[in-house]
Amino acid sequence: MAISNTLPDARRYAGIKRLFDIVGAVSGILLLAPLMAGIAIAIKVNSTGSVLFRQTRHGRNGSTFTILKFRSMYADLGDASGRQQTVRDDPRMTPVGRFLRRSNFDELPQLFNVLKGEMSLVGPRPHVPGMLAAGLPYEEFDPRYHQRHRVKPGITGLAQVNGYRGETKVPHAAHMRLEHDLAYVARHSPLLDIKIIFKTIVREFFKGNGY
């Protein structure tokens, strides 16, 4: 009788993914250090408050961690809970913050989250606890919601490169984001991760689709 190699394959993939994350995060931090230093200076010059924004997010298997982002909003207007979602032309954003959001450079400090093992380069985007979808807690909107937490959250993901990012107030947008997250959980692989990273670089950094 043949013996299933599913478990060894899963462990092998996990090891490859972690190595890929470490190499990618270290390379990114080293290559982008001058850019991140310049962003930090610009934030300090443009507005008062901390350079970094910290917020609690869902991690793998229901755990939580503190995500790092460059602060893009005025310090006294930011929402630490994350339930007040960012909207297009959000008045809470600073001038520098608008650029960071459009280019998605505000996400760069998450390379340190990846290095710590809290995140992956690719995976479902980490949500705040109590994330709303169409005005309801996401788990009430769709009972499958917590299945997306079976893998580490990512800096980028399948939903984002397919255009489902930003607000989840509209039922269709909330549904499609979750559908793509669950599709990634079901068929994630090193090749899919590479494709998503490539699409992210083209779509987000060069075309500036963030807000």
Side-chain angles (χ1 to χ4, degrees):
M1 176 174 22
I3 298 175
S4 172
N5 64 347
T6 301
L7 186 57
D9 283 350
R11 288 175 176 169
R12 190 179 302 116
Y13 168 66
I16 293 172
K17 187 172 177 67
R18 181 58 185 150
L19 178 62
F20 184 70
D21 283 343
I22 292 173
V23 172
V26 170
S27 299
I29 290 168
L30 293 177
L31 289 173
L32 298 172
L35 173 61
M36 290 194 283
I39 290 172
I41 293 171
I43 291 172
K44 270 296 185 185
V45 170
N46 184 241
S47 62
T48 59
S50 173
V51 167
L52 294 177
F53 175 71
R54 295 173 172 85
Q55 191 176 65
T56 299
R57 298 285 179 100
H58 272 302
R60 186 181 182 187
N61 293 330
S63 63
T64 59
F65 70 100
T66 301
I67 200 171
L68 301 175
K69 300 180 71 171
F70 281 123
R71 181 174 58 81
S72 59
M73 296 185 179
Y74 292 102
D76 58 339
L77 297 179
D79 175 27
S81 73
R83 294 185 180 90
Q84 184 179 353
Q85 296 183 1
T86 304
V87 298
R88 194 174 296 277
D89 298 322
D90 199 312
R92 298 175 295 163
M93 284 193 285
T94 67
V96 169
R98 293 186 188 281
F99 165 74
L100 295 178
R101 290 278 186 163
R102 283 197 302 270
S103 62
N104 289 284
F105 287 164
D106 62 317
E107 311 281 4
L108 292 179
Q110 289 164 39
L111 290 169
F112 291 99
N113 289 117
V114 173
L115 200 57
K116 291 170 65 178
E118 297 166 331
M119 292 180 64
S120 178
L121 293 176
V122 180
R125 284 293 298 158
H127 290 172
V128 296
M131 177 82 167
L132 298 179
L136 296 172
Y138 229 125
E139 58 269 31
E140 293 182 17
F141 175 78
D142 193 316
R144 302 173 299 162
Y145 174 67
H146 286 298
Q147 293 180 27
R148 71 191 300 279
H149 300 139
R150 289 167 55 190
V151 298
K152 286 182 183 178
I155 294 179
T156 186
L158 189 62
Q160 284 65 43
V161 298
N162 282 282
Y164 294 102
R165 57 165 299 156
E167 300 174 67
T168 55
K169 294 179 181 179
V170 178
H172 176 73
H175 173 74
M176 292 305 296
R177 182 189 289 195
L178 182 59
E179 287 295 333
H180 282 81
D181 287 344
L182 297 182
Y184 177 81
V185 171
R187 60 185 181 91
H188 57 292
S189 68
L191 180 58
L192 180 58
D193 285 359
I194 292 171
K195 288 181 178 178
I196 290 173
I197 289 175
F198 177 76
K199 288 183 178 180
T200 298
I201 292 172
V202 173
R203 180 182 178 86
E204 306 294 349
F205 292 151
F206 291 153
K207 293 185 179 180
N209 285 300
Y211 65 87

